[in-house]
Amino acid sequence: MSEDSGYNFAYLDEQTKRMIRRALLKAVAVPGYQVPFASREMPLPYGWGTGGIQVTAAVLGPDDTLKVIDQGADDTTNAVSIRRFFAKTAGVATTTRTEEASVIQTRHRIPETPLSEKQILVYQVPIPEPLRWLEPREAETRALHALGDYGVMQVELYEDIAIHGKIKRAYDYPVEVAGRYLTSPSPIPKFDNPKLSDCPALQLFGAGREKRIYAIPPYTPVRSLDFEDHPFAVDHPGHPCAICGDTESFLDEIVTDDAGGRIFVCSDTDHCRARQEGLAHDDAA
Amino acid sequence: MTMPPDAILSARDLRFDYGNGQGVRGVSFDLWPGDVLGIVGESGSGKTTLLKLLGGLLAPSGGSLSYRDASGELLDLLALPEARRRHLARTELGFVHQNPRDGLRLAVTAGGNVGERLMATGGRHYGRIRQSALDWLTRVEIDGARIDDRPTQFSGGMQQRLQIARNLVSGPRLVLMDEPTGGLDVSVQARLLDLLRSLVADLGLSVVIVTHDLGVARLLADRLMVMQGGRVIEEGLTDQVLDDPREPYTQLLVSSVLAA
């Protein structure tokens, strides 16, 4: 506990955490369904992870070890700030190593290291409603979810193939959770979509501005939408990571100079570090 | 309620009030398979309101509405669960709006518009959906090369034909049309009427068509209902009603048509 900081454990008061936990229980009970909750003002702007930070505050215990990533990296402003925030208000241990963490808050990525049953992955979600750009009326999107009436999303994918020759959505690729609810996986690259399915870890999604919580319980089947003759497929730039040489991980393109120079490096910094250490160890041996 | 055993749609004492005395005040009729029923009358007589009641776009304040589906089951359309009603509306029913912009997705290509019903009812094979869309565009005389154009790039007549293709792709049994030729110039109207007539005959559709154009009614409809002030004042075979009108209002309506 952090009595001297003047904050309640993990910043939020106990009643608020209880309210969020109730929403979380409902979300876990109905996989992929968006549960409304009374989102609070948080000491960071909307769009920076107000939903994720509230979910993290509600699930965090004194014995937990927290890892925060932003676009796969542990060292970006958003990740560092949120990690420090909980170190200060909850006094929990923090780490950058995926396998050591019990709670991982993430923005836009799923770690490369496979998750375990002992871990909780908390996503920051800007727009929880996958049908939002197709159907602006909230009452109607709820009706569509209630009736499982998802043809309009298929029309959207049809349009991509008709105009571009393939489904062009590269992130926030819509999924069907447990054969029922159409769900936004948050803006993770579609590269990460296969990791959503049958994941041993509990996956929780928090959208602060839109006041919605949803969840994918452990070992839940998650299917990325597609057509029978245009099946879902992930893209890879075809380069290895310039630092660790991995050919399997998701890569960021980094512009290195003004003359068109660019390199591809692992987006997951912890994964890249572990591989570099492994390589150094092999060299020493 | 009593429904003739071979009827596809039966309305009994259908009522709707907009709150100002306007609306539909007790309309009853039966529609048979392959039957084309025209509804004529002046503006404000309740034609379009009646059609919206039949199509489920408005909920009636009274009366009953029964439909016999493809499997022969008798359905009370007013008590049908929402999921079932939506499914029916995109498989066995069609609704052609007067303004094609109300019935089309303008931001979606022609192919997507036609394919929407197929995808909404579980079609997940892109090639087959596209082939059906292409077939239907050809049937309504839209060049297949324009399958990836948006409806906003189409002329008014093409938009209307696209809307018809979008409705017919699921093989409906009952199509409701609200002034399908409204706002089109006469030569385009004539071609659209030709097309509609052959489609209706080929597919054996049951149609309820609302129009204020008696020429359209004579060309398409087997039977006519004349509406005035929310009530049906006269009904019968089209030729009978138009050539030998009984009610003074119908006589006025028929005599107001300019002979070309």
Side-chain angles (χ1 to χ4, degrees):
Chain A
M1 288 288 177
S2 52
E3 283 83 8
D4 39 331
S5 72
Y7 289 112
N8 188 37
F9 178 76
Y11 184 75
L12 290 175
D13 62 276
E14 293 304 314
Q15 283 301 317
T16 298
K17 285 195 274 187
R18 201 165 151 182
M19 173 271 294
I20 295 172
R21 286 173 196 145
R22 280 184 178 160
L24 286 170
L25 286 175
K26 185 169 179 182
V28 170
V30 193
Y33 172 71
Q34 299 165 48
V35 183
F37 80 111
S39 176
R40 298 289 192 254
E41 292 271 342
M42 295 303 284
L44 80 167
Y46 286 130
W48 288 39
T50 52
I53 207 171
Q54 288 179 79
V55 171
T56 302
V59 299
L60 212 55
D63 303 329
D64 274 316
T65 306
L66 179 70
K67 169 184 164 82
V68 184
I69 51 174
D70 172 7
Q71 307 270 10
D74 291 278
D75 52 4
T76 51
T77 312
N78 201 209
V80 170
S81 312
I82 294 176
R83 197 163 57 234
R84 272 200 204 140
F85 175 79
F86 282 115
K88 202 176 205 172
T89 59
V92 293
T94 60
T95 181
T96 60
R97 292 173 188 248
T98 304
E99 61 279 3
E100 289 174 6
S102 57
V103 177
I104 304 171
Q105 183 173 333
T106 178
R107 172 174 177 266
H108 295 202
R109 272 316 303 281
I110 298 175
E112 303 287 353
T113 313
L115 301 175
S116 75
E117 288 178 4
K118 292 184 162 39
Q119 295 177 310
I120 298 177
L121 190 56
V122 178
Y123 295 78
Q124 304 170 195
V125 184
I127 297 169
E129 179 51 71
L131 299 168
R132 178 55 64 235
W133 305 116
L134 310 171
E135 174 50 66
R137 293 166 295 175
E138 176 69 14
E140 181 62 15
T141 55
R142 288 196 203 188
L144 293 175
H145 281 297
L147 299 169
D149 191 354
Y150 297 135
V152 56
M153 180 56 90
Q154 212 69 29
V155 173
E156 178 78 0
L157 301 181
Y158 169 95
E159 287 291 287
D160 262 9
I161 303 176
I163 294 168
H164 305 293
K166 63 172 191 170
I167 299 173
K168 290 291 274 184
R169 264 176 192 254
Y171 68 96
D172 206 357
Y173 191 103
V175 295
E176 179 195 80
V177 175
R180 177 61 182 87
Y181 281 100
L182 179 67
T183 304
S184 159
S186 87
I188 60 170
K190 73 172 176 181
F191 180 91
D192 283 341
N193 268 26
K195 294 182 206 158
L196 292 165
S197 191
D198 281 319
C199 177
L202 172 62
Q203 303 176 77
L204 304 175
F205 298 76
R209 178 174 42 205
E210 303 289 326
K211 301 179 170 53
R212 292 290 183 277
I213 281 172
Y214 52 104
I216 301 177
Y219 302 110
T220 303
V222 177
R223 187 178 68 85
S224 303
L225 298 193
D226 58 2
F227 284 95
E228 287 161 23
D229 48 346
H230 283 81
F232 174 81
V234 297
D235 297 328
H236 193 277
H239 302 274
C241 168
I243 301 173
C244 74
D246 194 350
T247 54
E248 306 283 309
S249 72
F250 187 76
L251 302 177
D252 285 338
E253 182 181 15
I254 296 176
V255 175
T256 50
D257 53 34
D258 290 344
R262 58 196 54 198
I263 56 170
F264 288 89
V265 298
C266 289
S267 125
D268 186 335
T269 51
D270 176 59
H271 172 77
C272 199
R273 174 204 56 77
R275 278 187 51 90
Q276 288 168 50
E277 287 175 7
L279 291 175
H281 187 260
D282 288 348
D283 288 347
Chain B
M1 108 178 206
T2 55
M3 179 172 179
D6 47 350
I8 181 169
L9 185 74
S10 281
R12 290 291 176 275
D13 197 26
L14 220 47
R15 270 172 282 123
F16 184 84
D17 193 342
Y18 282 106
N20 56 359
Q22 299 281 333
V24 170
R25 307 183 197 178
V27 171
S28 305
F29 68 91
D30 295 309
L31 189 73
W32 279 269
D35 193 10
V36 180
L37 175 67
I39 303 177
V40 296
E42 62 192 354
S43 299
S45 61
K47 305 185 299 283
T48 298
T49 305
L50 175 60
L51 202 70
K52 284 181 175 170
L53 295 178
L54 300 179
L57 306 184
L58 284 177
S61 50
S64 67
L65 190 59
S66 310
Y67 173 77
R68 196 180 305 279
D69 74 3
S71 65
E73 192 190 345
L74 189 67
L75 304 173
D76 178 357
L77 285 185
L78 303 182
L80 214 56
E82 177 73 5
R84 190 83 193 276
R85 197 186 63 71
R86 286 189 185 218
H87 181 75
L88 202 65
R90 62 173 62 124
T91 51
E92 297 196 11
L93 305 186
F95 198 106
V96 177
H97 293 265
Q98 176 172 10
N99 186 341
R101 284 173 215 99
D102 295 336
L104 292 171
R105 285 187 187 274
L106 293 180
V108 167
T109 61
N113 265 295
V114 179
E116 179 172 355
R117 278 184 172 219
L118 301 176
M119 291 182 252
T121 48
R124 292 291 180 270
H125 191 285
Y126 175 82
R128 284 202 285 272
I129 292 166
R130 197 166 171 81
Q131 190 54 48
S132 305
L134 210 51
D135 290 347
W136 270 102
L137 289 181
T138 317
R139 286 186 82 164
V140 298
E141 299 166 15
I142 294 175
D143 184 0
R146 303 204 59 180
I147 187 170
D148 293 333
D149 287 349
R150 297 210 163 81
T152 43
Q153 295 163 279
F154 286 6
S155 70
M158 284 172 76
Q159 287 182 356
Q160 197 56 280
R161 294 203 297 273
L162 181 61
Q163 195 194 178
I164 290 164
R166 169 183 160 89
N167 274 284
L168 295 186
V169 69
S170 65
R173 301 168 67 228
L174 170 63
V175 179
L176 309 173
M177 299 189 194
D178 187 7
E179 308 264 13
T181 58
L184 301 178
D185 72 58
V186 270
S187 63
V188 175
Q189 264 192 33
R191 281 183 52 205
L192 185 67
L193 283 173
D194 247 11
L195 176 74
L196 276 177
R197 201 151 63 142
S198 58
L199 284 175
V200 167
D202 289 352
L203 303 171
L205 297 175
S206 303
V207 177
V208 179
I209 182 166
V210 160
T211 181
H212 61 255
D213 185 335
L214 297 183
V216 170
R218 197 190 278 276
L219 267 174
L220 283 177
D222 306 323
R223 293 192 298 138
L224 273 192
M225 293 203 308
V226 183
M227 287 188 74
Q228 187 188 23
R231 289 194 180 84
V232 175
I233 55 163
E234 182 166 358
E235 59 180 306
L237 297 176
T238 302
D239 290 346
Q240 182 191 331
V241 172
L242 293 183
D243 294 341
D244 186 14
R246 176 168 45 94
E247 294 290 323
Y249 172 72
T250 315
Q251 291 169 3
L252 180 71
L253 200 67
V254 172
S255 64
S256 331
V257 178
L258 294 175

